[in-house]
Amino acid sequence: MTRIESVAHQLAEVLKRSKADYIEARLEESQSSYISYRGRELESIGRQTASGGNVRALVKGGWGFVSFNSLDDLPGRVELAVAQAHLAGKEVSHLAPVAPVTDRVLTDQNPVAIPLAQKKQLLDEYNDIIWRTPRLQTSIIGYGDGRKKVIFLNSAGSFIEQERADVTLRLTAVATEGNQVQQVGLSLGSRGDFNAIQGIHRQVEEMARNAVGLLVAPQIKGGEYTVVLDPVLAGVFVHEAFGHLSEADFVYENDRLREVMTLGKKFGSNELNIIDGAAVPGLRGSYKYDDEGTPATKTYLIREGKLVGRLHSRETAARMKEKPTGNARAINYRYPPIVRMTNTYIEPRSASFGDILSDIKEGVYAKNWYGGVTSMEMFTFSAGEAYMIRNGKLAEMVRPVVLTGNVFTTLHNIDAIGNDLDMNEGGGCGKAEQSPLPVSNGSPHIRIRHCLVGGR
Amino acid sequence: MEEVLSLAKKVAEEAEVYTVTSEETPVRFETNRLKHIQSKQSRSVALRIVRQGKLGYAVTTAADAGQELVDMAVETAQFGMPARFEFPASTSYPGVKVYDPAVESVLIEDMVGLGEALIESVRKHTPELICEAGVRKTVASVSIVNSRGGQAHYKESSFSLGLEGSLINGTDMLFVGEEESSCHPLTSPEAVAGVVTWQLEMAKNRAPVSSAVLPVVFTPRGVASALVLPLMAAFNGKTVLEGASPVGSRLGQAVFDKKLRLWDDPTIDYRPSSRPCDDEGVASQRTLLIEEGRVAHFFYDLQTAAMANTRSTGNGSRSRGGLPAPSATAFIIAPGNTTFDEMVADMKEGLVIEQLMGAEQGNILGGDFSGNVLLGYKVENGRIIGRVKDTMVSGNVYQVLKEILAIGSEARWVGSFLQTPPLYCPGLSVAAKG
């Protein structure tokens, strides 16, 4: 039995005796390693171990939360969390019922144990490819892996031990000429499987060539275009433009937003289905139980264009009289769980890529991910690469574009959905200081009419 | 930490132990009501070694993991970068004041009261506003010891107050917000409430805008969201060393408008971004980066400075428990002599930008930015007439800052990383929907 396991068993007794409407604890042990390159040489390499935990208490609708590294004096920390909750709570506690569970979810994956020499060898190969490309100025590579064990227990008697592992790789090629600087990136990830980042030599080569290509690419004129998004960028779009809006913690106490997000409301065409679910297996956002001990589900957010569901914690589900969906997640023991996405995607339909392009006279094909952010109503996301579409065919490369729009009109403007669903595992999501949380998102190719593109 | 240091010295030529312990108390309000009271205690110990000339690094949260920490650092040192520097032997530092014991003794009840007063004050202006607010106090101790006898120990305190408000009308949403921080306890909500109510007042009406090239006034928040990140990347000694900085080869040259003066300053008393020394024990200093539009210097940590044949500017910072790397502490842009009102009065047609969403996603190194105006106002005939929406503003930082019409006289802190006045720029590309 490891240290946190024995501590957890003692803590279970303390939780049962405490004076709160509800109380839970999470204890965590983790190991991780990282390697980064800036330029030709390895820049930093490091190893990390961490252990810690937290106690969260609910009293009359107010939450107390205490996090710590030292596992000493846990009864004192429980007492502090309860006292804080008493101070914060002035109303009534609401928590959707979840049956207590005792379970162990283990993994064999341990990327941290793979020798650093082997990891470095692979990254050296990729870096060599980037540096062989003429006119390339520099490269940036960030590799990270981790493995952790989390024990969750609560006052209802749940005791869940879960292990998970994670691998991420981000490569960037930077090309310069005079005062011009251009870059193209590539992000990959997996639930701890190191093989997922091996053998991508050809993609790395293409990335480096594209960075150089951008130096001579013209900048697009700003304005409205018909835009086709590749699966990677469409995945970012669905995450940013709609996913965050589906997180019930934005909505549950906000009457005006609840009106906007009434179930049954039409958001897009009959072809549009959007799903989020940690129960979709094998992806970076997958798990069996969330950080409140609620079993994972697969949730339709939009079905045939209509809003049919949203993402919940136990509290938001109770307040909205809906079912918990198992979307309460915390990035680590230093934070309380909040409503988050897991694996978010647009379901594929029948159109081929060629069909989608065929009737566009002038448009933009936006590819690859650079970033995305949302204010609920408005979203902005950036392509890593972009091409003009002329007379139904891909034409010249242009500078990467930033796309923006109003969520509510843009979803209606999706008028073609492809048949080629692909999930991107290289992303991380940030919300309320908790970043980057492992998620995946994906889509087939989609076409959006009247999309606002920034430019000169 | 002395124990970790002596264990490390047995296997390595040089070693440094960096320990930080902190206690943070955030109080959070959601939907205008008190929702969370938290207490976060944390500690971490980072060991950096030089073994056979190469750097090794490991971090742990455990109090008793000395040998494990040394073993991990030794493992990484096989592949680490050659160390080009020596740990500093300094034991005394400039007297930068960053700790006020009064922060520790602020009662949670008083923090709750401050948050409530802030929310009440802005809702007096706009009762339908839905507010998320936070009051936070933090006290931390930092210790650095190294094998050359260098030692630094200091305590720091910080206190912050912030509010984000949203106003929703059907699918039309308005977001406003401001925050304030100090090493002293904050006792009044006035400054934050004043900015937020001004934003609400300016955004009361919707104003039309069409695609054009327009003059723009960036407020301090606008400067932070659109212009500063590219500069922080470009003046980073590491970017310069790699040859990826557009200003890297232009030391002494006039790259920006003559009116522009910018420096990095971790030595201002009682600012949360200040510190007596950086995260590798190099004394803090004020580093002039742009002088009368000319590129004056770049900022460095020990390793990067050694590789660039210069001295560390005391900008070695550790983020997320990583190795020290050059990082800006607080950028300060010197104020000019034009008031904000004079700038607005000067525009026949133009925009005031408070927040550009997504501007940081562009080609940061090249200076290109393009963002959705999350909060911004239309100016017509010298007056703000209302808020703009569905509008994108694009430009290049180097072009924008080459010709500045005026630099404001009223400088303000944005978070703890930037103090700037408003900047008035002659022409940016504005793309509007419809």
Side-chain angles (χ1 to χ4, degrees):
Chain A
M1 199 182 281
T2 65
R3 177 90 201 276
I4 61 167
E5 284 170 51
S6 59
V7 167
H9 286 288
Q10 295 160 20
L11 196 55
E13 295 308 309
V14 181
L15 294 194
K16 277 179 204 155
R17 292 196 305 267
S18 64
K19 301 226 175 335
D21 296 342
Y22 169 78
I23 185 160
E24 67 183 20
R26 270 184 294 132
L27 299 167
E28 191 175 308
E29 277 172 347
S30 66
Q31 311 162 282
S32 57
S33 75
Y34 68 89
I35 302 174
S36 68
Y37 287 66
R38 283 196 38 154
R40 201 79 190 83
E41 303 297 324
L42 183 145
E43 176 195 52
S44 71
I45 180 165
R47 292 270 320 258
Q48 190 156 4
T49 64
S51 61
N54 67 65
V55 177
R56 188 170 73 133
L58 176 66
V59 174
K60 292 184 180 167
W63 289 100
F65 178 85
V66 176
S67 71
F68 42 83
N69 289 124
S70 162
L71 299 175
D72 302 334
D73 187 30
L74 291 185
R77 304 199 196 272
V78 171
E79 217 170 283
L80 178 60
V82 172
Q84 289 173 339
H86 273 282
L87 197 57
K90 295 181 175 78
E91 292 166 16
V92 183
S93 298
H94 298 272
L95 274 190
V98 169
V101 180
T102 303
D103 201 354
R104 296 184 83 189
V105 185
L106 307 181
T107 175
D108 295 332
Q109 299 283 7
N110 187 5
V112 186
I114 295 171
L116 288 172
Q118 190 182 333
K119 295 170 188 171
K120 181 175 177 289
Q121 162 84 34
L122 182 68
L123 301 181
D124 280 338
E125 285 172 27
Y126 295 155
N127 208 22
D128 285 346
I129 293 172
I130 298 175
W131 279 84
R132 274 206 302 270
T133 311
R135 291 203 292 165
L136 225 284
Q137 178 65 35
T138 190
S139 58
I140 302 169
I141 298 177
Y143 166 86
D145 58 32
R147 176 187 163 90
K148 69 178 176 182
K149 178 201 282 281
V150 180
I151 300 177
F152 170 88
L153 55 152
N154 68 17
S155 50
S158 279
F159 195 100
I160 303 169
E161 189 180 332
Q162 293 191 91
E163 291 176 351
R164 67 173 296 148
D166 198 51
V167 169
T168 55
L169 174 63
R170 179 152 179 92
L171 304 129
T172 307
V174 181
T176 59
E177 192 165 74
N179 291 339
Q180 291 286 339
V181 182
Q182 290 293 331
Q183 51 185 319
V184 176
L186 181 64
S187 298
L188 300 161
S190 77
R191 278 185 62 99
D193 181 5
F194 189 73
N195 290 327
I197 63 160
Q198 300 196 81
I200 54 155
H201 303 72
R202 281 183 57 186
Q203 279 167 271
V204 175
E205 198 179 329
E206 194 188 321
M207 171 189 81
R209 277 206 312 264
N210 283 339
V212 172
L214 284 175
L215 288 172
V216 294
Q219 181 129 16
I220 195 170
K221 193 171 176 315
E224 274 187 29
Y225 289 89
T226 295
V227 173
V228 175
L229 308 184
D230 82 327
V232 173
L233 190 56
V236 175
F237 167 72
V238 71
H239 175 102
E240 292 301 334
F242 190 74
H244 282 294
L245 203 58
S246 299
E247 294 168 348
D249 54 342
F250 286 126
V251 185
Y252 77 115
E253 291 188 308
N254 190 327
D255 294 339
R256 290 190 177 179
L257 200 52
R258 276 176 86 143
E259 246 168 66
V260 175
M261 296 299 287
T262 307
L263 297 186
K265 197 165 174 172
K266 194 83 171 154
F267 270 82
S269 81
N270 289 340
E271 284 231 301
L272 184 66
N273 290 339
I274 299 178
I275 292 168
D276 179 278
V280 178
L283 298 168
R284 277 184 76 225
S286 309
Y287 47 76
K288 191 167 178 190
Y289 303 96
D290 75 0
D291 288 318
E292 293 185 320
T294 304
T297 60
K298 174 178 162 182
T299 308
Y300 272 87
L301 305 175
I302 288 188
R303 191 173 230 156
E304 292 172 1
K306 283 195 193 118
L307 184 69
V308 293
R310 61 183 122 242
L311 307 178
H312 281 299
S313 65
R314 290 182 64 186
E315 184 177 28
T316 63
R319 293 288 294 269
M320 298 189 78
K321 300 191 171 58
E322 293 170 9
K323 288 222 157 60
T325 56
N327 284 81
R329 306 179 66 187
I331 192 159
N332 61 37
Y333 61 90
R334 292 192 25 84
Y335 298 94
I338 54 176
V339 180
R340 302 300 293 260
M341 281 174 262
T342 59
N343 307 302
T344 314
Y345 58 98
I346 296 179
E347 258 188 354
R349 291 290 186 168
S350 56
S352 71
F353 183 45
D355 297 341
I356 290 176
L357 295 181
S358 65
D359 63 344
I360 301 174
K361 202 157 169 296
E362 189 194 54
V364 178
Y365 178 45
K367 259 186 93 170
N368 204 346
W369 171 89
Y370 199 88
V373 58
T374 175
S375 77
M376 295 200 281
E377 178 192 13
M378 294 294 173
F379 65 85
T380 300
F381 51 102
S382 322
E385 295 163 52
Y387 301 84
M388 293 306 293
I389 302 168
R390 296 186 195 283
N391 301 315
K393 297 231 153 50
L394 290 185
E396 77 275 14
M397 188 183 214
V398 292
R399 291 280 167 86
V401 292
V402 176
L403 309 167
T404 191
N406 177 303
V407 175
F408 305 102
T409 54
T410 304
L411 285 169
H412 282 290
N413 290 343
I414 299 177
D415 74 340
I417 298 175
N419 56 11
D420 46 359
L421 172 66
D422 195 14
M423 298 300 292
N424 173 21
E425 306 238 40
C429 174
K431 177 176 170 185
E433 297 179 6
Q434 299 195 44
S435 175
L437 186 76
V439 295
S440 74
N441 41 56
S443 172
H445 277 92
I446 60 170
R447 182 172 67 203
I448 306 173
R449 299 285 184 188
H450 311 295
C451 191
L452 192 57
V453 176
R456 290 279 149 73
Chain B
M1 57 199 290
E2 295 294 344
E3 184 212 326
V4 177
L5 191 64
S6 59
L7 282 174
K9 280 199 287 198
K10 286 184 196 156
V11 292
E13 296 102 83
E14 299 288 348
E16 170 207 60
V17 183
Y18 172 90
T19 310
V20 57
T21 59
S22 71
E23 178 146 5
E24 190 184 330
T25 310
V27 172
R28 285 291 309 167
F29 293 80
E30 287 176 17
T31 327
N32 307 323
R33 286 194 302 261
L34 176 62
K35 186 76 189 175
H36 295 270
I37 298 175
Q38 307 186 359
S39 156
K40 297 179 169 191
Q41 287 138 355
S42 78
R43 64 170 263 134
S44 73
V45 184
L47 171 66
R48 183 162 58 153
I49 60 169
V50 180
R51 188 170 192 261
Q52 290 161 5
K54 293 200 279 189
L55 285 168
Y57 192 64
V59 183
T60 183
T61 59
D64 50 1
Q67 192 56 52
E68 188 189 1
L69 195 61
V70 172
D71 292 345
M72 289 193 299
V74 166
E75 185 194 352
T76 63
Q78 298 169 70
F79 311 101
M81 222 185 192
R84 306 279 166 79
F85 64 92
E86 287 183 337
F87 292 120
S90 338
T91 51
S92 68
Y93 292 94
V96 182
K97 298 187 184 73
V98 288
Y99 177 66
D100 178 353
V103 167
E104 244 166 314
S105 48
V106 175
L107 298 175
I108 288 185
E109 286 83 349
D110 292 339
M111 296 170 70
V112 171
L114 185 62
E116 283 171 347
L118 174 61
I119 291 170
E120 195 187 311
S121 163
V122 297
R123 292 187 81 219
K124 206 184 276 170
H125 181 278
T126 305
E128 320 83 79
L129 191 72
I130 291 189
C131 302
E132 315 270 296
V135 188
R136 178 188 302 247
K137 63 171 186 175
T138 307
V139 177
S141 297
V142 178
S143 289
I144 307 168
V145 295
N146 66 46
S147 51
R148 290 172 47 82
Q151 285 207 25
H153 306 278
Y154 66 93
K155 250 181 132 171
E156 59 186 354
S157 58
S158 74
F159 195 99
S160 69
L161 172 67
L163 180 135
E164 283 169 50
S166 62
L167 193 58
I168 296 168
N169 238 327
T171 61
D172 176 46
M173 303 181 190
L174 168 69
F175 299 93
V176 291
E178 174 67 352
E179 72 162 53
E180 188 187 358
S181 61
S182 172
C183 297
H184 296 302
L186 297 172
T187 52
S188 159
E190 253 166 62
V192 175
V195 171
V196 173
T197 45
W198 182 81
Q199 292 169 340
L200 287 166
E201 191 58 36
M202 294 301 112
K204 242 179 190 166
N205 303 311
R206 270 285 289 279
V209 62
S210 43
S211 298
V213 172
L214 292 176
V216 168
V217 174
F218 289 96
T219 66
R221 286 172 69 88
V223 174
S225 71
L227 307 176
V228 161
L229 291 180
L231 296 183
M232 287 186 163
F235 282 88
N236 188 320
K238 192 169 263 182
T239 317
V240 172
L241 186 66
E242 287 161 357
S245 166
V247 296
S249 59
R250 308 190 66 184
L251 209 56
Q253 293 178 30
V255 172
F256 303 96
D257 188 285
K258 245 190 136 164
K259 292 185 281 298
L260 194 67
R261 190 159 191 266
L262 166 79
W263 63 93
D264 183 71
D265 198 348
T267 68
I268 307 167
D269 283 344
Y270 296 111
R271 286 299 312 165
S273 49
S274 293
R275 54 193 186 191
C277 64
D278 73 359
D279 293 347
E280 38 189 6
V282 175
S284 287
Q285 67 174 61
R286 179 175 154 148
T287 305
L288 190 59
L289 302 171
I290 302 174
E291 170 71 354
E292 290 187 345
R294 288 176 197 281
V295 177
H297 202 39
F298 309 112
F299 56 82
Y300 291 95
D301 65 353
L302 285 169
Q303 172 84 352
T304 316
M307 291 167 76
N309 287 316
T310 181
R311 289 161 56 101
S312 168
T313 52
N315 285 81
S317 295
R318 303 172 192 244
S319 66
R320 290 179 191 272
L323 270 171
S327 170
T329 59
F331 267 18
I332 315 283
I333 295 177
N337 42 29
T338 310
T339 66
F340 176 75
D341 291 344
E342 286 166 349
M343 292 176 178
V344 172
D346 188 61
M347 283 192 279
K348 187 163 174 4
E349 186 186 7
L351 295 180
V352 172
I353 291 178
E354 287 255 44
Q355 179 100 46
L356 265 195
M357 182 173 76
E360 74 286 351
Q361 295 165 24
N363 172 9
I364 291 265
L365 288 175
D368 292 334
F369 65 90
S370 189
N372 186 315
V373 182
L374 190 60
L375 184 60
Y377 322 110
K378 178 77 183 297
V379 176
E380 280 180 19
N381 300 315
R383 293 185 49 191
I384 292 178
I385 58 161
R387 165 196 187 209
V388 298
K389 279 189 66 177
D390 296 308
T391 304
M392 277 197 104
V393 169
S394 312
N396 179 286
V397 171
Y398 298 97
Q399 281 165 17
V400 170
L401 296 180
K402 196 181 248 169
E403 193 194 343
I404 301 171
L405 288 177
I407 294 185
S409 52
E410 306 117 325
R412 217 166 71 208
W413 281 99
V414 184
S416 59
F417 71 99
L418 176 69
Q419 188 190 50
T420 183
L423 301 180
Y424 180 20
C425 305
L428 271 91
S429 163
V430 177
K433 187 138 180 133

